[in-house]
Structures are given as structure tokens and as C-alpha cells.
Coordinates of all heavy atoms in Angstrom, one line a residue:
M1 N -39.3 -60.3 201.4 CA -40.0 -60.4 200.1 C -41.0 -61.5 200.1 O -40.8 -62.7 200.6 CB -39.1 -60.7 198.9 CG -38.6 -59.3 198.3 SD -39.8 -58.6 197.3 CE -39.9 -59.5 195.7
E2 N -42.3 -61.2 199.7 CA -43.2 -62.3 199.7 C -43.0 -63.3 198.4 O -42.5 -62.9 197.4 CB -44.6 -61.7 199.5 CG -45.6 -62.5 200.2 CD -47.1 -61.7 200.1 OE1 -47.0 -60.5 199.6 OE2 -48.0 -62.4 200.2
P3 N -43.3 -64.6 198.7 CA -43.1 -65.5 197.4 C -44.1 -65.2 196.4 O -45.1 -64.7 196.6 CB -43.5 -66.8 198.1 CG -43.5 -66.7 199.6 CD -43.7 -65.2 199.9
V4 N -43.5 -65.3 195.1 CA -44.4 -65.0 194.0 C -44.9 -66.3 193.2 O -44.1 -67.3 193.2 CB -43.6 -64.2 193.0 CG1 -44.3 -64.0 191.7 CG2 -43.2 -62.7 193.6
R5 N -46.1 -66.3 192.8 CA -46.6 -67.4 192.1 C -47.2 -66.9 190.8 O -47.6 -65.8 190.7 CB -47.8 -68.1 193.0 CG -47.3 -68.7 194.3 CD -46.5 -69.9 194.0 NE -46.0 -70.6 195.3 CZ -45.0 -70.3 195.9 NH1 -44.2 -69.4 195.4 NH2 -44.6 -70.8 197.0
T6 N -47.5 -67.8 189.9 CA -48.0 -67.6 188.6 C -49.4 -67.9 188.6 O -49.8 -69.0 188.9 CB -47.3 -68.2 187.5 OG1 -45.9 -67.8 187.5 CG2 -47.9 -67.8 186.2
C7 N -50.3 -66.9 188.2 CA -51.8 -67.2 188.1 C -52.0 -68.1 186.8 O -51.5 -67.9 185.8 CB -52.5 -65.9 188.0 SG -54.3 -66.1 187.4
V8 N -52.7 -69.3 187.1 CA -53.0 -70.2 186.0 C -54.0 -69.6 185.0 O -54.2 -70.2 183.9 CB -53.4 -71.6 186.4 CG1 -52.2 -72.2 187.2 CG2 -54.7 -71.5 187.3
G9 N -54.6 -68.5 185.3 CA -55.6 -68.0 184.5 C -55.0 -67.0 183.5 O -55.2 -67.1 182.3
C10 N -54.3 -66.0 184.0 CA -53.8 -64.9 183.1 C -52.3 -65.1 183.0 O -51.6 -64.3 182.2 CB -54.2 -63.6 183.6 SG -53.5 -63.2 185.2
R11 N -51.7 -66.0 183.7 CA -50.2 -66.3 183.6 C -49.4 -65.1 184.1 O -48.2 -65.0 183.7 CB -49.8 -66.7 182.1 CG -50.5 -67.8 181.6 CD -49.8 -69.1 182.0 NE -50.4 -70.2 181.4 CZ -49.8 -70.8 180.4 NH1 -48.7 -70.3 179.8 NH2 -50.4 -71.9 179.8
T12 N -49.9 -64.2 184.8 CA -49.2 -63.2 185.4 C -48.6 -63.6 186.7 O -49.3 -64.3 187.4 CB -50.1 -62.0 185.6 OG1 -50.8 -61.7 184.3 CG2 -49.4 -60.8 186.1
R13 N -47.5 -63.2 187.0 CA -46.9 -63.4 188.4 C -47.4 -62.4 189.3 O -47.5 -61.2 189.1 CB -45.3 -63.4 188.2 CG -44.8 -64.6 187.5 CD -43.4 -64.3 187.0 NE -42.5 -64.1 188.0 CZ -41.8 -65.1 188.6 NH1 -42.1 -66.4 188.4 NH2 -41.0 -64.8 189.6
A14 N -47.7 -62.9 190.6 CA -48.2 -62.0 191.6 C -47.8 -62.6 193.0 O -47.6 -63.8 193.1 CB -49.8 -62.0 191.6
P15 N -47.7 -61.8 194.0 CA -47.5 -62.3 195.4 C -48.6 -63.2 195.9 O -49.7 -63.1 195.4 CB -47.5 -61.0 196.2 CG -48.1 -59.9 195.3 CD -47.9 -60.2 194.0
R16 N -48.1 -64.2 196.6 CA -49.1 -65.3 197.1 C -50.3 -64.6 197.6 O -51.5 -65.2 197.6 CB -48.4 -66.0 198.3 CG -47.6 -67.2 197.7 CD -46.9 -67.8 198.9 NE -47.9 -68.2 199.9 CZ -47.8 -69.3 200.5 NH1 -46.8 -70.2 200.4 NH2 -48.7 -69.8 201.5
S17 N -50.3 -63.5 198.3 CA -51.4 -62.9 199.1 C -52.4 -62.5 198.1 O -53.6 -62.2 198.5 CB -51.0 -61.8 200.0 OG -50.2 -60.8 199.3
A18 N -52.1 -62.1 196.8 CA -53.0 -61.7 195.8 C -53.7 -62.8 195.1 O -54.6 -62.5 194.3 CB -52.3 -60.7 194.8
L19 N -53.2 -64.1 195.3 CA -53.8 -65.2 194.6 C -54.5 -66.1 195.5 O -54.3 -66.1 196.8 CB -52.7 -65.9 193.9 CG -51.9 -65.1 192.8 CD1 -50.6 -65.9 192.5 CD2 -52.8 -64.8 191.6
L20 N -55.4 -66.9 194.9 CA -56.2 -67.9 195.7 C -55.5 -69.3 195.3 O -55.3 -69.6 194.2 CB -57.6 -68.0 195.3 CG -58.5 -69.1 195.8 CD1 -58.6 -68.9 197.3 CD2 -59.9 -69.1 195.2
R21 N -55.2 -70.0 196.3 CA -54.6 -71.3 196.1 C -55.8 -72.3 195.9 O -56.8 -72.2 196.6 CB -53.8 -71.9 197.2 CG -53.0 -73.2 197.0 CD -52.0 -73.5 198.1 NE -51.2 -74.7 197.8 CZ -51.4 -75.9 198.2 NH1 -52.4 -76.1 199.1 NH2 -50.7 -76.8 197.9
V22 N -55.7 -73.2 195.0 CA -56.7 -74.1 194.6 C -56.2 -75.5 194.6 O -55.1 -75.7 194.0 CB -57.4 -73.8 193.3 CG1 -58.5 -74.8 193.0 CG2 -58.0 -72.4 193.3
V23 N -56.8 -76.5 195.4 CA -56.4 -77.8 195.4 C -57.4 -78.7 194.8 O -58.7 -78.4 194.7 CB -55.8 -78.4 196.8 CG1 -54.7 -77.4 197.2 CG2 -57.0 -78.2 197.7
S24 N -57.0 -80.0 194.5 CA -58.1 -80.9 194.1 C -58.3 -82.0 195.2 O -57.3 -82.7 195.6 CB -57.7 -81.5 192.7 OG -58.1 -82.8 192.7
I25 N -59.5 -82.2 195.7 CA -59.7 -83.3 196.7 C -60.7 -84.2 196.0 O -61.9 -83.8 195.8 CB -60.2 -82.8 198.0 CG1 -59.1 -81.8 198.5 CG2 -60.6 -83.9 198.9 CD1 -59.6 -81.0 199.8
D26 N -60.4 -85.4 195.7 CA -61.3 -86.4 195.0 C -61.9 -85.8 193.8 O -63.1 -85.9 193.7 CB -62.3 -86.9 196.1 CG -61.7 -87.7 197.3 OD1 -60.7 -88.2 197.1 OD2 -62.3 -87.6 198.4
S27 N -61.1 -85.2 193.1 CA -61.6 -84.6 191.8 C -62.6 -83.4 192.0 O -63.3 -83.0 191.0 CB -62.3 -85.6 190.8 OG -61.3 -86.6 190.5
V28 N -62.6 -82.9 193.2 CA -63.4 -81.6 193.3 C -62.3 -80.5 193.6 O -61.4 -80.6 194.4 CB -64.2 -81.8 194.6 CG1 -65.1 -80.5 194.8 CG2 -65.2 -82.9 194.5
L29 N -62.5 -79.4 192.7 CA -61.7 -78.3 192.9 C -62.1 -77.5 194.1 O -63.3 -77.1 194.2 CB -61.8 -77.4 191.6 CG -60.7 -76.7 190.9 CD1 -59.5 -77.6 190.8 CD2 -61.1 -76.1 189.6
V30 N -61.2 -77.3 195.0 CA -61.5 -76.7 196.4 C -60.6 -75.4 196.6 O -59.4 -75.6 196.4 CB -61.3 -77.6 197.5 CG1 -61.7 -77.1 198.8 CG2 -62.1 -79.0 197.3
P31 N -61.2 -74.4 196.9 CA -60.4 -73.2 197.3 C -59.7 -73.4 198.6 O -60.3 -73.8 199.6 CB -61.3 -72.0 197.3 CG -62.7 -72.7 197.7 CD -62.6 -74.0 197.1
D32 N -58.4 -73.2 198.7 CA -57.6 -73.4 199.8 C -57.3 -72.0 200.4 O -56.2 -71.4 200.2 CB -56.2 -74.1 199.5 CG -55.3 -74.4 200.7 OD1 -55.8 -74.1 201.8 OD2 -54.3 -74.8 200.5
E33 N -58.3 -71.4 201.1 CA -58.2 -70.1 201.4 C -56.9 -69.7 202.3 O -56.4 -68.6 202.1 CB -59.4 -69.7 202.3 CG -60.8 -70.1 201.7 CD -61.2 -69.0 200.8 OE1 -60.5 -68.0 200.6 OE2 -62.3 -69.1 200.2
R34 N -56.5 -70.5 203.1 CA -55.3 -70.3 203.9 C -54.1 -70.8 203.4 O -53.1 -70.8 204.0 CB -55.6 -70.6 205.4 CG -56.8 -69.9 205.9 CD -57.3 -70.4 207.3 NE -56.1 -70.1 208.3 CZ -56.1 -70.6 209.4 NH1 -57.0 -71.4 209.9 NH2 -55.1 -70.3 210.3
A35 N -54.1 -71.5 202.2 CA -53.0 -72.1 201.6 C -52.3 -73.0 202.5 O -51.0 -73.1 202.6 CB -52.0 -71.1 201.1
V36 N -53.0 -73.9 203.1 CA -52.4 -74.8 204.1 C -52.7 -76.3 203.8 O -52.2 -77.2 204.4 CB -53.0 -74.6 205.6 CG1 -52.6 -73.3 206.0 CG2 -54.5 -74.7 205.6
M37 N -53.4 -76.5 202.7 CA -53.8 -78.0 202.4 C -52.6 -78.7 201.7 O -51.8 -78.0 201.0 CB -55.0 -78.0 201.4 CG -56.3 -77.5 202.0 SD -57.7 -77.8 201.0 CE -59.0 -77.0 202.0
P38 N -52.4 -79.9 202.0 CA -51.3 -80.7 201.5 C -51.5 -80.9 200.0 O -52.6 -80.8 199.5 CB -51.3 -81.9 202.3 CG -52.6 -82.1 202.7 CD -53.2 -80.7 202.9
G39 N -50.4 -81.3 199.3 CA -50.5 -81.7 198.0 C -50.3 -80.6 197.0 O -49.9 -79.5 197.4
R40 N -50.4 -81.0 195.8 CA -50.3 -80.0 194.7 C -51.3 -78.9 194.6 O -52.5 -79.1 194.8 CB -50.2 -80.7 193.4 CG -49.8 -80.0 192.2 CD -49.6 -80.9 191.0 NE -48.4 -81.6 191.1 CZ -47.2 -81.0 190.7 NH1 -47.2 -79.9 190.2 NH2 -46.1 -81.7 190.8
G41 N -50.9 -77.6 194.5 CA -51.9 -76.6 194.4 C -51.7 -75.8 193.2 O -50.6 -75.7 192.6
A42 N -52.7 -75.0 192.7 CA -52.6 -74.2 191.6 C -53.0 -72.7 192.1 O -53.8 -72.7 193.1 CB -53.7 -74.6 190.5
W43 N -52.4 -71.8 191.6 CA -52.6 -70.5 192.1 C -53.4 -69.6 191.0 O -53.0 -69.7 189.8 CB -51.3 -69.7 192.4 CG -50.6 -70.4 193.6 CD1 -49.9 -71.5 193.5 CD2 -50.7 -70.0 194.9 NE1 -49.5 -71.8 194.8 CE2 -50.0 -71.0 195.7 CE3 -51.3 -68.9 195.6 CZ2 -49.8 -70.9 197.0 CZ3 -51.2 -68.9 197.0 CH2 -50.4 -69.8 197.7
V44 N -54.4 -68.9 191.5 CA -55.1 -68.1 190.5 C -55.7 -66.8 191.2 O -55.9 -66.8 192.4 CB -56.4 -69.0 190.0 CG1 -57.3 -69.3 191.0 CG2 -57.1 -68.3 188.8
H45 N -55.8 -65.8 190.3 CA -56.5 -64.6 191.0 C -57.9 -65.0 191.3 O -58.7 -65.7 190.5 CB -56.5 -63.4 190.0 CG -55.1 -62.8 189.8 ND1 -54.4 -62.9 188.6 CD2 -54.5 -62.1 190.5 CE1 -53.3 -62.3 188.7 NE2 -53.3 -61.6 190.0
P46 N -58.5 -64.6 192.4 CA -59.8 -64.9 192.7 C -60.8 -64.0 192.1 O -61.7 -63.3 192.7 CB -59.8 -64.7 194.3 CG -58.8 -63.7 194.5 CD -57.8 -63.8 193.5
T47 N -60.7 -64.0 190.8 CA -61.6 -63.3 190.0 C -62.3 -64.1 189.0 O -61.8 -65.2 188.5 CB -60.8 -62.1 189.1 OG1 -60.0 -62.7 188.3 CG2 -60.2 -61.2 190.1
N48 N -63.5 -63.7 188.5 CA -64.2 -64.6 187.4 C -63.3 -64.7 186.2 O -63.3 -65.7 185.6 CB -65.5 -63.9 187.1 CG -66.5 -64.0 188.3 OD1 -66.7 -65.1 188.8 ND2 -67.1 -62.9 188.6
E49 N -62.6 -63.6 185.8 CA -61.8 -63.6 184.6 C -60.8 -64.7 184.6 O -60.6 -65.5 183.7 CB -61.2 -62.3 184.4 CG -62.2 -61.2 184.0 CD -62.9 -60.6 185.2 OE1 -62.6 -60.9 186.3 OE2 -64.0 -59.9 184.9
C50 N -60.1 -64.7 185.7 CA -58.9 -65.6 185.7 C -59.3 -67.1 185.9 O -58.8 -68.0 185.3 CB -57.9 -65.2 186.9 SG -57.0 -63.7 186.4
V51 N -60.4 -67.3 186.8 CA -60.8 -68.7 187.1 C -61.5 -69.2 185.7 O -61.3 -70.3 185.4 CB -61.8 -68.7 188.3 CG1 -62.4 -70.1 188.4 CG2 -61.0 -68.4 189.5
D52 N -62.2 -68.3 185.2 CA -62.9 -68.7 184.0 C -61.9 -69.1 182.8 O -62.0 -70.1 182.2 CB -63.9 -67.5 183.4 CG -64.8 -67.9 182.4 OD1 -65.2 -69.2 182.3 OD2 -65.2 -67.2 181.6
A53 N -60.8 -68.3 182.7 CA -59.8 -68.5 181.7 C -59.1 -69.8 182.1 O -58.8 -70.6 181.1 CB -58.8 -67.4 181.6
A54 N -58.8 -70.1 183.3 CA -58.2 -71.3 183.7 C -59.0 -72.5 183.5 O -58.6 -73.5 183.0 CB -57.8 -71.2 185.2
L55 N -60.4 -72.5 183.7 CA -61.3 -73.5 183.5 C -61.3 -73.9 182.0 O -61.3 -75.0 181.5 CB -62.6 -73.2 184.0 CG -62.8 -73.2 185.5 CD1 -64.2 -72.8 185.9 CD2 -62.5 -74.5 186.1
R56 N -61.4 -72.8 181.1 CA -61.6 -73.0 179.7 C -60.3 -73.6 179.1 O -60.4 -74.4 178.2 CB -61.9 -71.7 179.0 CG -63.4 -71.4 178.9 CD -63.8 -70.2 178.2 NE -63.5 -68.9 178.9 CZ -62.7 -68.0 178.5 NH1 -62.2 -68.1 177.4 NH2 -62.6 -67.0 179.2
R57 N -59.2 -73.2 179.6 CA -57.9 -73.7 179.1 C -57.5 -75.0 179.8 O -56.4 -75.6 179.6 CB -56.8 -72.7 179.3 CG -57.1 -71.4 178.5 CD -55.8 -70.8 178.1 NE -54.7 -71.0 179.1 CZ -54.3 -70.2 180.0 NH1 -54.8 -69.0 180.0 NH2 -53.3 -70.6 180.9
R58 N -58.3 -75.5 180.8 CA -58.1 -76.7 181.5 C -56.7 -76.6 182.2 O -56.0 -77.5 182.4 CB -58.1 -77.9 180.5 CG -59.4 -78.2 180.0 CD -59.3 -79.2 179.0 NE -59.0 -80.6 179.5 CZ -59.8 -81.4 180.0 NH1 -61.0 -81.0 180.2 NH2 -59.4 -82.5 180.5
A59 N -56.5 -75.3 182.6 CA -55.2 -75.1 183.3 C -55.1 -75.8 184.7 O -54.0 -76.2 185.2 CB -55.0 -73.5 183.4
F60 N -56.2 -75.9 185.4 CA -56.3 -76.6 186.7 C -55.9 -78.0 186.5 O -55.2 -78.6 187.4 CB -57.6 -76.4 187.3 CG -57.9 -75.0 187.8 CD1 -59.1 -74.3 187.5 CD2 -57.2 -74.5 188.8 CE1 -59.4 -73.0 187.9 CE2 -57.5 -73.1 189.3 CZ -58.6 -72.4 188.8
V61 N -56.5 -78.7 185.5 CA -56.3 -80.1 185.3 C -54.7 -80.2 185.1 O -54.1 -81.2 185.6 CB -57.0 -80.6 184.1 CG1 -56.7 -82.0 183.8 CG2 -58.4 -80.4 184.4
R62 N -54.2 -79.5 184.4 CA -52.8 -79.6 184.0 C -51.8 -79.2 185.3 O -50.9 -79.9 185.7 CB -52.3 -78.6 182.9 CG -52.2 -79.5 181.7 CD -51.8 -78.5 180.5 NE -52.9 -77.6 180.1 CZ -52.8 -76.4 179.7 NH1 -51.7 -75.8 179.5 NH2 -54.0 -75.7 179.4
A63 N -52.2 -78.2 186.0 CA -51.4 -77.6 187.1 C -51.5 -78.7 188.3 O -50.5 -78.8 189.0 CB -51.9 -76.2 187.6
L64 N -52.6 -79.2 188.4 CA -52.8 -80.2 189.5 C -52.5 -81.6 189.2 O -52.6 -82.5 190.0 CB -54.3 -80.1 190.2 CG -54.7 -78.7 190.6 CD1 -56.2 -78.6 190.8 CD2 -53.9 -78.3 191.8
R65 N -52.2 -81.8 187.9 CA -51.8 -83.2 187.4 C -53.0 -84.2 187.7 O -52.6 -85.3 188.2 CB -50.5 -83.7 188.0 CG -49.4 -82.7 187.9 CD -48.4 -83.2 186.8 NE -47.4 -82.2 186.5 CZ -46.3 -82.2 187.0 NH1 -45.9 -83.3 187.9 NH2 -45.3 -81.4 186.8
V66 N -54.1 -83.8 187.5 CA -55.3 -84.8 187.6 C -55.7 -85.2 186.3 O -55.5 -84.5 185.4 CB -56.4 -84.2 188.4 CG1 -56.1 -84.0 189.9 CG2 -56.9 -82.9 187.7
S67 N -56.4 -86.4 186.3 CA -56.8 -86.8 185.0 C -58.1 -86.3 184.5 O -58.6 -86.4 183.4 CB -56.9 -88.4 185.0 OG -57.6 -88.7 186.2
G68 N -58.7 -85.5 185.4 CA -60.0 -84.8 185.1 C -61.2 -85.7 184.8 O -61.0 -86.9 184.7
P69 N -62.4 -85.3 184.7 CA -62.8 -83.9 184.8 C -62.9 -83.5 186.3 O -63.1 -84.3 187.2 CB -64.2 -83.8 184.1 CG -64.7 -85.2 184.4 CD -63.5 -86.2 184.3
L70 N -62.8 -82.2 186.5 CA -62.9 -81.7 187.9 C -64.2 -81.1 188.2 O -64.8 -80.6 187.3 CB -61.8 -80.6 188.1 CG -60.3 -81.1 188.2 CD1 -59.4 -79.9 188.0 CD2 -60.1 -81.8 189.6
D71 N -64.7 -81.4 189.4 CA -66.0 -80.7 189.8 C -65.6 -79.3 190.2 O -64.9 -79.1 191.2 CB -66.5 -81.5 191.0 CG -67.8 -81.0 191.5 OD1 -68.2 -79.8 191.2 OD2 -68.6 -81.7 192.1
T72 N -66.2 -78.4 189.5 CA -65.8 -76.9 189.8 C -67.0 -76.2 190.4 O -66.9 -74.9 190.6 CB -65.6 -76.2 188.5 OG1 -66.8 -76.2 187.6 CG2 -64.4 -76.8 187.7
Q73 N -68.0 -76.9 190.9 CA -69.1 -76.2 191.6 C -68.6 -75.5 192.9 O -69.1 -74.3 193.1 CB -70.1 -77.2 192.0 CG -71.0 -77.6 190.9 CD -72.3 -78.5 191.3 OE1 -72.5 -78.4 192.5 NE2 -72.8 -79.2 190.4
T74 N -67.7 -76.0 193.6 CA -67.3 -75.4 194.9 C -66.6 -74.1 194.7 O -66.9 -73.1 195.2 CB -66.4 -76.4 195.7 OG1 -67.1 -77.6 195.9 CG2 -66.1 -75.8 197.1
I75 N -65.7 -74.2 193.6 CA -64.9 -73.0 193.3 C -65.8 -71.9 192.7 O -65.6 -70.7 193.0 CB -63.7 -73.3 192.5 CG1 -62.7 -72.2 192.5 CG2 -64.1 -73.7 191.1 CD1 -61.7 -72.3 193.6
E76 N -66.8 -72.3 192.0 CA -67.6 -71.3 191.3 C -68.6 -70.8 192.4 O -68.8 -69.5 192.4 CB -68.6 -72.0 190.3 CG -67.8 -72.3 189.0 CD -68.7 -73.0 188.0 OE1 -69.8 -72.5 187.8 OE2 -68.2 -73.9 187.4
K77 N -69.0 -71.4 193.4 CA -69.7 -70.9 194.5 C -68.9 -69.9 195.3 O -69.4 -68.8 195.6 CB -70.2 -72.0 195.4 CG -71.6 -72.0 195.6 CD -72.1 -73.3 196.5 CE -72.5 -74.5 195.6 NZ -72.7 -75.6 196.5
R78 N -67.7 -70.2 195.5 CA -66.8 -69.4 196.2 C -66.6 -68.0 195.4 O -66.7 -66.9 196.0 CB -65.4 -70.0 196.2 CG -64.2 -69.0 196.5 CD -64.2 -68.6 197.9 NE -62.9 -68.1 198.3 CZ -62.4 -66.8 197.9 NH1 -63.2 -66.1 197.2 NH2 -61.3 -66.4 198.3
L79 N -66.6 -68.0 194.1 CA -66.4 -66.9 193.3 C -67.6 -66.2 193.2 O -67.7 -65.0 192.9 CB -65.9 -67.3 191.9 CG -64.4 -67.6 192.0 CD1 -63.9 -68.3 190.7 CD2 -63.6 -66.5 192.2
N80 N -68.8 -66.8 193.3 CA -70.1 -66.1 193.1 C -70.1 -65.0 194.2 O -70.9 -64.1 194.1 CB -71.2 -67.0 193.2 CG -71.4 -67.8 191.9 OD1 -70.9 -67.3 190.9 ND2 -72.1 -68.8 191.8
G81 N -69.5 -65.1 195.3 CA -69.3 -64.2 196.3 C -68.8 -62.9 195.8 O -69.1 -61.8 196.4
Y82 N -68.1 -62.9 194.7 CA -67.5 -61.7 194.1 C -68.4 -61.1 193.1 O -68.1 -60.0 192.6 CB -66.2 -62.0 193.4 CG -65.1 -62.3 194.4 CD1 -64.8 -63.6 194.9 CD2 -64.2 -61.3 194.8 CE1 -63.8 -63.7 195.9 CE2 -63.2 -61.5 195.7 CZ -63.0 -62.7 196.2 OH -61.9 -63.0 197.1
G83 N -69.5 -61.8 192.8 CA -70.4 -61.2 191.8 C -70.9 -62.1 190.7 O -71.7 -63.0 191.0
N84 N -70.4 -61.9 189.6 CA -70.9 -62.7 188.4 C -70.7 -64.2 188.4 O -69.7 -64.6 189.1 CB -70.3 -62.1 187.2 CG -70.6 -60.6 187.1 OD1 -71.6 -60.2 187.4 ND2 -69.7 -59.9 186.5
K85 N -71.4 -64.9 187.7 CA -71.2 -66.3 187.7 C -70.1 -66.6 186.6 O -69.8 -65.9 185.8 CB -72.6 -66.9 187.1 CG -72.7 -68.4 187.5 CD -74.0 -68.8 187.1 CE -74.2 -70.4 187.2 NZ -73.1 -71.2 187.7
V86 N -69.4 -67.8 187.0 CA -68.3 -68.2 186.1 C -68.9 -68.9 185.0 O -69.8 -69.8 185.1 CB -67.4 -69.1 186.9 CG1 -66.3 -69.6 186.0 CG2 -66.7 -68.4 188.0
N87 N -68.6 -68.6 183.8 CA -69.2 -69.2 182.7 C -68.3 -70.2 181.9 O -67.1 -70.2 182.3 CB -69.4 -68.0 181.5 CG -70.5 -67.0 182.0 OD1 -71.4 -67.4 182.7 ND2 -70.2 -65.7 181.8
G88 N -68.9 -71.0 181.1 CA -68.1 -71.9 180.3 C -67.5 -73.1 181.1 O -66.5 -73.7 180.6
S89 N -68.1 -73.4 182.2 CA -67.5 -74.5 183.0 C -68.6 -75.5 183.3 O -69.8 -75.2 183.3 CB -66.9 -74.1 184.3 OG -67.8 -73.3 185.0
K90 N -68.3 -76.8 183.6 CA -69.2 -77.7 184.0 C -69.0 -78.1 185.5 O -68.1 -78.2 185.9 CB -69.1 -79.0 183.1 CG -69.3 -78.7 181.7 CD -69.7 -80.0 181.0 CE -70.2 -79.7 179.6 NZ -69.2 -79.3 178.7
Ligands
ZN101 ZN1 -54.8 -64.0 186.9

């Protein structure tokens, strides 16, 4: 059985392979594509909906225990590969 994680965007549980691990490096939100980076990570579906929801609810800040604000440009660029732009974030 694959380990299950909870998406910080929609709060749904999903297998690790369906989620994108996100870590914070010097207050920059970075996608951890291979889930190998050390430290605390947050898991989210790699979709605009879930990342957008997580950003708006500041779920990354809470999940990663950072004092914020986080630089989300990198993660938004990553998601732009999927299509639409992530709204409502700075
Ligand atoms: Zn989700």
C-alpha cells in the first residue's frame, strides 16, 4: 500500500504519487517533485484549484510552520505548465 497524504488545498486524502510535495526554502515555496527534500513538507494536488485554495487559506504557511509571507512565484510557474494561472496569490 502506498502512503496516503492529505492535500492542503481540498483536504482530501490521496496516495503520495497523486500529490505534489511542497517545501519552503528561505521563504520560497518550492515544488519538491521527487519528494526528497529535507524538512517539513506540505502535500497538495498539482492543480490550480488545490494550490489556489491552499494559498488563499494560507494552508502552506500553517503546514510548513513558517512565519510567512511565502514567495509563491516558483510554485505558480510550475503550475502554469498545467494551464491556467493561479489567482489570488502574491
Ligand atoms: Zn486537493
Side-chain angles (χ1 to χ4, degrees):
M1 271 287 283
E2 213 178 341
V4 171
R5 296 287 182 272
T6 302
C7 169
V8 294
C10 63
R11 302 282 189 94
T12 305
R13 286 157 66 82
R16 276 176 55 143
S17 57
L19 300 170
L20 174 69
R21 186 173 189 260
V22 179
V23 297
S24 150
I25 299 172
D26 295 332
S27 292
V28 178
L29 216 48
V30 181
D32 180 7
E33 307 278 358
R34 299 175 64 192
V36 292
M37 291 187 189
R40 186 171 282 277
W43 295 82
V44 66
H45 286 111
T47 63
N48 291 312
E49 288 77 15
C50 287
V51 172
D52 193 27
L55 290 174
R56 270 185 284 122
R57 300 209 328 257
R58 298 170 63 79
F60 287 122
V61 176
R62 259 177 291 148
L64 298 172
R65 306 260 176 93
V66 292
S67 45
L70 286 165
D71 182 341
T72 60
Q73 282 189 14
T74 306
I75 197 88
E76 287 181 40
K77 235 175 266 170
R78 161 73 164 77
L79 284 165
N80 284 342
Y82 285 87
N84 303 323
K85 202 171 167 6
V86 176
N87 297 316
S89 57
K90 293 209 171 67

